[in-house]
Amino acid sequence: MAALTPTAAPAPGGTPRRARDPKAVRVRARRRPRVWRGAVLALAGLYFLVPLLSSFVFTVHTPGQGVSFAAYTGILSAEGFTRSLLLSLGLAAATILLALLLAVPALVGVRLGAPRLRPLVEIVCMLPLVVPPIALVTGVTTVLRWGPDHLSRTPLYQTFLAVQNESFPVVLVLAYTVLALPFVYRSLDAGLRAVDVPTLVEAARNCGASRLYVILRVILPNLRSSLAGASFLTLALVLGEYTIASLLGFRPFAVWIVSVSGAQARMSVAVSLLSLLITWALLLLLSRAGTRAASATPAPPAPSGTSASLTSPASGKE
Amino acid sequence: MSLTSTATEDRPEEGTTSTTGALVEFRGLRRAFGPTVALDGLDLTARPGELLALLGPSGCGKTTALRVLAGFEQPDSGEVLVDGEDITRVPANRRDAGMVFQSYSLFPHLNARDNVAFGLRVRKVSAAERRARAAELLDLVGLPEHGDRYPHQMSGGQQQRVALARALALRPRVLLLDEPLSALDAKVRLTLREEIRRLQLSLGITTIFVTHDQEEALSMADRVAVLNAGRLEQCAPPAELYERPATAFVAEFVGTMNRLAGRLTDGGQVEVAGVTLPVDGELPASREVEVLIRPENITATADPAGTATVVSASFFGSVTRVLLDLPGGGSVKSDVPSRDAGELVPGVRATVEPARRPVLVVPAPGSGA
Ligand SMILES: Nc1ncnc2c1ncn2[C@@H]1O[C@H](COP(=O)(O)OP(=O)(O)OP(=O)(O)O)[C@@H](O)[C@H]1O
Ligand SMILES: [Mg+2]
């Protein structure tokens, strides 16, 4: 009882001072970010918009001849446009499928059955980040060259040829899957962290569900938004990838843009603007699908890992 | 109210998977996690239709025992029998036991109705029937309006009710509750506790309820099993557990207990605080002992000539718990009817007297027995 008084005594004198301080701090703190936010936004906007606008003006306006949209109308009839775009989309779809098929069972399995293997899986999945694509492509080229020489008498020879099929180069899907793995891993890992997987599995087993049923009907639905995030990142990566495809001699969309740009400057800029729009539209679609899934099945808030890693492939893609 | 009526309507149509209770037996269960022995030869029986509380300190193996029964954990040795049938090797999804988990375990992507109907969906019950049964169960747990809510739109208490409905959906023969109330606040706990008990009685389902809250165990259960370090200490109805604890561990774990220094007499009795009392249970080898006496079995009266001194008095409604210092060192708690406790204020001298009834004794810590 007596001990209470000394601690209580300074409080009345202290309260007003303490009450005044936070308010002042809060007001200042509120005004400053607002100013900064505006400035940063404006700068970022300029940084993105100025090049875009200049590009656009360049494509439609020829000095002395006025405005013409010929560059854009020319694209659709340009040789290779549809083919390369479809090829890129096909590659992206295959890569997304393969990467998810690899990563989802591995991550779920590790989380449920062997938590001690998790660091190992993480390292393996993150490794591609530190391997530059140029190193990867060198390795792949070497193998592709070495393979046919040594395996010419075995059925594997046919495999080597099939993998490099010009119309759908599986070897690119394999390489892109490796590149996409870190982003897929991050996104899925964040999604898995947000739900108590072991308890949900046990609850479902207790309701009579088999293991497969649990994974398909309980775990995957709860991972929807992070699956969408992983697909989103992989799509962005594949649409913009140039190094590997070009060095291996294939012509997906990014390579086609570059090859076209040499011949017709105006059209190449128009194409890259268009590709930007296409990519945005696709990403928007995917993220809409993800959020719709998430809001229809109110899953935990979007995993933080997704938004954090969003920047990396975009900056890598250029 | 609706609870009982729905439950009674429910029973005739139960068919093969009847909810009338099963007999559950644990036989010599052993389970070690590396060096930690979670279950060390546990033998325990839950009678058909009873609510058996598993009580014990943290880490004594309560959850492990329940998980073995649910099939989430394989015992190193020993077996689990339900109605005499060994189910130790039956996979978790084929066991007939509904479980409510300690943590919130509803499926976040499903609303309350679909959560409840999940097990029916697994069993490929038709959509109409699922809906009807889920509605009935939500009604049973008092949430008829909440079928469309998602788990994150419900309070903790509501989530645990839905989890209870989900556990009952497949009409299991055994209901397993692993501290389902521990994450809830005191008031919700109290009402939910009563509701679970009422539901259990009306369904007549054998229920094993894990808790480390002794009040919860004593107030709800038909019998309470006290576990310590993976073994059963005692399994008895609450009153017996309280009045006649079989071991010193049970005596001290259940309720409040005084430990008073005493001395065995030649006649096999014990001398404590100036009186001689009969001894209940085994006699220790050493003469110097500690005597276990409940606060309500000690009377304290204000007395200027007394040797004890009142240190504090806490009011608990009908009784006041008085803490007194004894002359030889040590202290004792006494529950005094509040109307007689007026004079027992801190500093007052008092006499302390144990009630004349058999007491438990344990060897004194210092005696080299
Ligand atoms: N999966 C596990 N891996 C390693 N040790 C475990 C595991 N599960 C339980 N244990 C250990 O087994 C012992 C018993 O655990 P259990 O969860 O059964 O205790 P409990 O009685 O339920 O305790 P609480 O009241 O704290 O929930 C503890 O010492 C615990 O650390
Ligand atoms: Mg536990």
Side-chain angles (χ1 to χ4, degrees):
Chain A
M1 274 295 250
L4 276 180
T5 2
T7 41
T15 327
R17 208 188 317 136
R18 234 180 280 148
R20 215 182 308 124
D21 277 352
K23 211 181 286 168
V25 169
R26 223 180 302 137
V27 169
R28 238 181 292 140
R30 209 184 290 151
R31 203 168 292 156
R32 217 187 276 157
R34 221 178 264 166
V35 173
W36 278 109
R37 222 180 290 157
V40 170
L41 257 179
L43 262 177
L46 278 180
Y47 185 77
F48 284 110
L49 284 182
V50 168
L52 281 181
L53 279 179
S54 337
S55 308
F56 183 68
V57 170
F58 173 71
T59 54
V60 295
H61 183 254
T62 321
Q65 287 175 25
V67 173
S68 136
F69 286 91
Y72 288 92
T73 48
I75 291 176
L76 293 176
S77 52
E79 199 270 318
F81 169 77
T82 326
R83 188 152 36 85
S84 63
L85 184 60
L86 285 182
L87 175 60
S88 274
L89 291 179
L91 288 175
T95 308
I96 289 171
L97 207 69
L98 184 59
L100 290 182
L101 276 179
L102 275 178
V104 172
L107 289 188
V108 172
V110 160
R111 188 153 283 254
L112 287 179
R116 263 187 287 160
L117 285 183
R118 213 168 106 192
L120 182 70
V121 172
E122 172 159 14
I123 289 174
V124 168
C125 286
M126 299 311 281
L127 215 53
L129 273 190
V130 297
V131 178
I134 191 78
L136 191 68
V137 82
T138 314
V140 170
T141 322
T142 315
V143 171
L144 288 182
R145 224 182 279 129
W146 168 88
D149 290 350
H150 292 257
L151 303 170
S152 53
R153 279 169 211 292
T154 69
L156 270 180
Y157 181 69
Q158 293 303 320
T159 316
F160 265 90
L161 291 189
V163 153
Q164 299 176 68
N165 184 348
E166 188 73 32
S167 63
F168 194 80
V170 176
V171 67
L172 278 188
V173 174
L174 298 179
Y176 290 166
T177 302
V178 171
L179 289 186
L181 222 46
F183 309 115
V184 172
Y185 173 86
R186 273 276 160 254
S187 178
L188 288 180
D189 190 55
L192 281 169
R193 261 172 224 268
V195 284
D196 182 358
V197 180
T199 305
L200 290 188
V201 170
E202 284 181 358
R205 300 273 294 156
N206 192 248
C207 290
S210 66
R211 281 172 210 280
L212 188 65
Y213 193 99
V214 174
I215 291 185
L216 295 182
R217 286 299 179 80
V218 177
I219 300 192
L220 287 188
N222 281 302
L223 286 183
R224 259 191 192 165
S225 60
S226 70
L227 287 176
S231 316
F232 179 104
L233 298 173
T234 309
L235 178 67
L237 183 111
V238 172
L239 283 187
E241 208 288 329
Y242 173 79
T243 323
I244 296 181
S246 113
L247 287 182
L248 287 179
F250 300 110
R251 271 169 60 107
F253 198 46
V255 178
W256 179 78
I257 291 177
V258 174
S259 72
V260 154
S261 70
Q264 298 134 293
R266 194 150 284 145
M267 188 160 111
S268 83
V269 175
V271 164
S272 54
L273 271 182
L274 205 66
S275 81
L276 211 62
L277 285 181
I278 292 173
T279 315
W280 278 350
L282 285 173
L283 295 187
L284 216 77
L285 257 171
L286 246 180
S287 75
R288 276 279 297 283
T291 48
R292 209 182 319 125
S295 63
T297 64
S304 54
T306 317
S307 49
S309 44
L310 265 180
T311 43
S312 355
S315 58
K317 184 185 82 160
E318 297 277 82
Chain B
M1 9 174 267
S2 67
L3 281 179
T4 27
S5 64
T6 338
T8 37
E9 281 165 18
D10 202 36
R11 273 175 129 187
E13 50 171 73
E14 270 160 15
T16 47
T17 53
S18 131
T19 50
T20 39
L23 175 75
V24 179
E25 293 164 87
F26 295 109
R27 289 203 188 146
L29 278 191
R30 232 192 96 80
R31 178 71 168 103
F33 299 99
T36 345
V37 180
L39 294 177
D40 189 10
L42 176 70
D43 288 298
L44 184 62
T45 304
R47 297 175 190 150
E50 83 171 342
L51 196 161
L52 178 70
L54 288 190
L55 180 66
S58 193
C60 70
K62 307 180 295 287
T63 298
T64 309
L66 219 57
R67 289 170 54 81
V68 168
L69 177 50
F72 301 138
E73 205 79 73
Q74 277 297 317
D76 299 334
S77 64
E79 54 205 17
V80 185
L81 284 78
V82 174
D83 276 342
E85 191 187 331
D86 185 356
I87 59 157
T88 320
R89 302 282 151 206
V90 177
N93 56 335
R94 304 238 186 79
R95 295 197 184 187
D96 211 3
M99 181 149 174
V100 178
F101 295 80
Q102 180 169 3
S103 51
Y104 299 134
S105 63
L106 293 185
F107 306 122
H109 66 295
L110 297 179
N111 62 22
R113 187 181 306 110
D114 292 341
N115 259 289
V116 174
F118 183 86
L120 301 168
R121 186 157 182 195
V122 173
R123 300 256 165 111
K124 301 202 165 60
V125 173
S126 76
E129 207 174 317
R130 286 202 309 254
R131 249 188 117 77
R133 176 92 178 120
E136 181 188 319
L137 280 159
L138 285 173
D139 214 30
L140 197 66
V141 296
L143 296 174
E145 311 286 313
H146 291 63
D148 292 321
R149 298 264 190 104
Y150 283 91
H152 72 109
Q153 297 167 322
M154 288 186 282
S155 72
Q158 290 168 340
Q159 288 189 46
Q160 288 303 67
R161 282 164 199 253
V162 175
L164 182 64
R166 182 177 67 182
L168 291 171
L170 291 175
R171 305 178 207 273
R173 287 187 297 166
V174 186
L175 180 61
L176 308 176
L177 308 169
D178 186 4
E179 307 198 29
L181 310 177
S182 66
L184 309 176
D185 72 66
K187 203 150 188 178
V188 181
R189 270 177 97 120
L190 221 61
T191 50
L192 207 48
R193 183 203 282 181
E194 281 163 14
E195 247 170 78
I196 289 177
R197 176 59 165 162
R198 196 161 34 173
L199 205 65
Q200 185 266 335
L201 282 176
S202 69
L203 295 175
I205 183 171
T206 308
T207 302
I208 302 187
F209 186 104
V210 165
T211 176
H212 57 231
D213 179 343
Q214 45 154 314
E215 189 197 322
E216 207 164 271
L218 295 179
S219 63
M220 285 176 81
D222 293 308
R223 289 192 306 150
V224 178
V226 180
L227 264 59
N228 181 28
R231 289 171 160 280
L232 180 68
E233 288 277 331
Q234 184 177 11
C235 183
E240 188 184 331
L241 202 72
Y242 191 82
E243 298 294 336
R244 299 182 43 81
T247 65
F249 177 83
V250 175
E252 290 198 89
F253 192 75
V254 178
T256 311
M257 202 49 111
N258 285 303
R259 266 174 181 262
L260 298 178
R263 226 184 124 68
L264 291 183
T265 64
D266 293 327
Q269 295 199 312
V270 66
E271 212 181 278
V272 59
V275 296
T276 307
L277 303 172
V279 173
D280 198 12
E282 283 174 49
L283 285 176
S286 69
R287 301 204 70 136
E288 302 300 324
V289 293
E290 284 194 327
V291 183
L292 305 176
I293 308 179
R294 298 224 181 262
E296 64 266 31
N297 290 334
I298 291 190
T299 46
T301 35
D303 176 2
T307 50
T309 317
V310 176
V311 177
S312 67
S314 336
F315 179 69
F316 285 113
S318 61
V319 298
T320 295
R321 177 158 296 173
V322 184
L323 179 66
L324 304 109
D325 267 344
L326 294 178
S331 58
V332 63
K333 289 180 195 125
S334 163
D335 282 354
V336 180
S338 289
R339 71 183 112 82
D340 302 337
E343 291 176 38
L344 293 166
V345 292
V348 163
R349 299 216 145 241
T351 48
V352 168
E353 193 184 348
R356 313 221 165 230
R357 48 190 298 162
V359 289
L360 275 177
V361 297
V362 293
S367 69

